[in-house]
Amino acid sequence: MPGVTAPGAGVPFPLTYEQDRFHTKTRADGWSHKNVQLAFEILGDLDTDALADAVRAFVVRHDALHLQLDPAPGPHPRQWTRRIDADEEVVQRLNVKAASPEQFSRYASALLSRDCVTPWSYGAQRPFKIRLLRRDEQHHALLATFQNLVFDGRAHHLFGHEVWRDYEALRRGQSPPGTARSFAEAAVRQRAATPARQRERTLASWRERLTLLTRTAWTGPAGACRTDPGTVGAELPAATVAALRDLSAEFRCTVLQSTVGHFVAALAARTGRSEVGLWTSMDSRTSQDADVVGMFAASCPLVIRDAGADAPSVRAQVREQLLNALRHQRLTADEIADLTRAAEETGGAPVSRDIYVNLRRYEGNSSVPDDGGRLRITADAYPLHRITFHDSFALHLRCTEFRDRLDIDLLYDGHRADRRLARTLLDDMLTVIHSAVDGPHAGAE
């Protein structure tokens, strides 16, 4: 629908498929609320007016942050936009009397934690809370939380990238962009009528993957011990990531696809599994909507049928599954629930949801622009305070790719997968990665 235009303020438009699925989960019993959070510690000579103006410009131009829902939304709510008023406060500025930097950090963590778990009050409230804290002229904190119904991982990246880009522009006397691609328009375009043939393919793809997942229930390796849940992790430096990126390109895949391939291969080798069922979060944005802030990410199933094959074959299977999931992502929560019930009846077992893979890629480096050396900016500087989120997966792989770094974290639940298994899987992955980028390609696999 190339002719679609954004609905005017106050005009209802449909939820994206991913919004529908998220909203359905929040209505289900046992699904806890959590906002998306961002936090930056800022040391140095900060221009607070420029930063506040950069944040305001971001909020004003991205209409997903103008969204409103009915005060008591039902299973199929309406949404519309309400523009940001000229005199409306977007950034709340607070002077914090802290005796030390440590006390200031504890206060910032406590404030961010409270905002993180505070549900969005549907109706008139904005779906965000942004605070700029000041301890003194050289020590600030920028805290932001966004309702997940309007903000996903890609939006998280865009906030950090655009706000600091615009801050630097304002410092140079330039104006930040006044408009951005519309989330409302993208939502209307996404929910336009899908060709019948494409819809049948989508239903068939989900039906097949869900049925396969009924036979991939987790069984840990012999000798596993019950431990406390935890995380093992590794950070690959710029030189290793660059070499891995070049090598992956030769095999027509990405760094993240290669990393998941190594994980699947290690899992198959250590547990004797021939089939591995995974869930991942898939971003359904089209290329033209790559910079749209909003909610376009939702979980979807993947099944690697021959996980014990050679490394190139496993990598190719992972790539094919990810591309297939991207092509066939657009289903409502009700449709997925119906397909899940049918798959479990056909397979005679529950759909496995034991392993989750979270993949995030940022175009730039891991460090934030530093205003020409005048600032030292640290992202994720304030850990949540007295908040525990329980992971329902036996294993949860998190991969975050920057141009100059690859972070790999493997979470384990402690009773279906223990620390020893998680550590072994990560070590196996790292061994293959380092041998691949350090040795001849013929012997890397």
Side-chain angles (χ1 to χ4, degrees):
M1 291 184 64
V4 167
T5 58
V11 178
F13 61 94
L15 272 65
T16 64
Y17 288 106
E18 292 79 13
Q19 282 184 300
D20 171 75
R21 288 154 67 177
F22 177 83
H23 178 68
T24 299
K25 286 183 178 180
T26 61
R27 287 174 51 83
D29 292 337
W31 181 263
S32 60
H33 173 87
K34 181 172 76 74
N35 290 316
V36 178
Q37 87 246 17
L38 300 92
F40 299 92
E41 179 188 56
I42 310 164
L43 303 179
D45 189 16
L46 176 69
D47 185 334
T48 56
D49 289 338
L51 180 56
D53 287 345
V55 172
R56 180 180 180 83
F58 180 88
V59 170
V60 168
R61 68 174 173 264
H62 288 293
D63 61 351
L65 304 183
H66 309 172
L67 289 187
Q68 299 293 306
L69 271 73
D70 290 319
H76 303 291
R78 304 180 309 151
Q79 66 178 352
W80 62 92
T81 59
R82 178 169 61 87
R83 293 190 180 93
I84 306 295
D85 295 332
D87 59 349
E88 185 174 349
E89 180 183 79
V90 169
V91 180
Q92 181 182 3
R93 303 197 199 193
L94 298 173
N95 289 320
V96 179
K97 295 181 179 179
S100 66
E102 292 74 21
Q103 187 181 59
F104 179 79
S105 295
R106 287 195 297 271
Y107 179 80
S109 289
L111 196 56
L112 182 66
S113 301
R114 187 185 71 185
D115 289 342
C116 182
V117 297
T118 301
W120 179 19
S121 178
Y122 296 106
Q125 185 185 18
R126 296 296 188 186
F128 60 84
K129 178 72 71 174
I130 304 173
R131 306 179 190 270
L132 180 57
L133 278 54
R134 177 185 183 276
R135 177 176 180 257
D136 54 47
E137 291 183 354
Q138 299 294 308
H139 195 165
H140 295 80
L142 178 65
L143 312 178
T145 55
F146 299 89
Q147 161 62 282
N148 210 170
L149 192 68
V150 305
F151 213 79
D152 61 9
R154 174 63 181 170
H156 185 289
H157 166 65
L158 291 170
F159 179 88
H161 169 70
E162 293 185 10
V163 164
W164 291 110
R165 176 202 67 192
D166 294 349
Y167 170 81
E168 291 187 325
L170 287 163
R171 292 276 293 170
R172 294 191 299 266
Q174 302 169 349
S175 297
T179 60
R181 294 191 68 88
S182 167
F183 171 71
E185 179 181 325
V188 171
R189 187 165 52 247
Q190 187 206 58
R191 295 301 293 266
T194 302
R197 188 175 181 182
Q198 176 64 30
R199 177 172 173 75
E200 287 305 314
R201 288 176 175 173
T202 297
L203 292 169
S205 175
W206 272 81
R207 189 179 297 115
E208 177 186 30
R209 284 177 283 153
L210 290 171
T211 300
L212 288 171
L213 280 173
T214 63
R215 64 185 194 222
T216 64
W218 173 257
T219 52
C225 300
R226 189 181 184 91
T227 64
D228 290 333
T231 305
V232 295
E235 177 184 311
L236 302 186
T240 302
V241 175
L244 182 59
R245 187 174 293 119
D246 291 341
L247 185 61
S248 298
E250 291 184 21
F251 293 105
R252 300 180 62 188
C253 64
T254 67
V255 167
L256 294 178
Q257 290 169 356
S258 290
T259 305
V260 176
H262 297 320
F263 171 66
V264 170
L267 193 63
R270 292 293 177 176
T271 64
R273 305 172 70 88
S274 59
E275 289 184 325
V276 173
L278 311 170
W279 287 81
T280 190
S281 181
M282 186 64 66
D283 182 346
S284 69
R285 285 172 176 81
T286 62
S287 57
Q288 68 174 326
D289 293 329
D291 291 339
V292 172
V293 167
M295 179 55 162
F296 289 102
S299 61
C300 65
L302 313 172
V303 181
I304 311 304
R305 295 194 183 194
D306 190 7
D310 59 84
S313 176
V314 174
R315 183 173 49 232
Q317 291 179 73
V318 167
R319 179 178 182 274
E320 180 183 8
Q321 281 285 298
L322 288 168
L323 292 176
N324 181 58
L326 181 61
R327 285 192 295 265
H328 303 300
Q329 179 72 340
R330 297 180 176 183
L331 291 178
T332 66
D334 290 343
E335 289 171 329
I336 293 173
D338 290 341
L339 288 169
T340 301
R341 283 191 292 268
E344 292 177 343
E345 291 175 1
T346 301
V351 167
S352 170
R353 298 178 183 271
D354 299 317
I355 306 172
Y356 193 84
V357 174
N358 182 243
L359 307 175
R360 299 180 66 181
R361 179 181 179 274
Y362 297 100
E363 291 91 346
N365 291 334
S366 55
S367 60
V368 179
D370 63 359
D371 192 25
R374 288 184 291 273
L375 298 177
R376 190 170 78 219
I377 303 169
T378 304
D380 300 325
Y382 306 104
L384 296 180
H385 181 62
R386 294 183 178 178
I387 297 176
T388 302
F389 296 105
H390 297 285
D391 207 323
S392 61
F393 308 103
L395 290 166
H396 182 169
L397 178 70
R398 294 177 177 171
C399 301
T400 305
E401 179 192 357
F402 302 92
R403 290 297 304 175
D404 63 344
R405 196 178 80 200
L406 175 64
D407 293 334
I408 304 175
D409 291 310
L410 183 56
L411 288 69
Y412 54 91
D413 70 352
H415 60 94
R416 289 175 295 172
D418 61 13
R419 181 177 182 82
R420 182 176 63 178
L421 173 64
R423 182 73 258 174
T424 300
L425 292 173
L426 182 60
D427 288 344
D428 287 350
M429 294 170 61
L430 295 175
T431 297
V432 174
I433 289 173
H434 286 300
S435 65
V437 301
D438 294 337
H441 293 186
E445 307 290 345

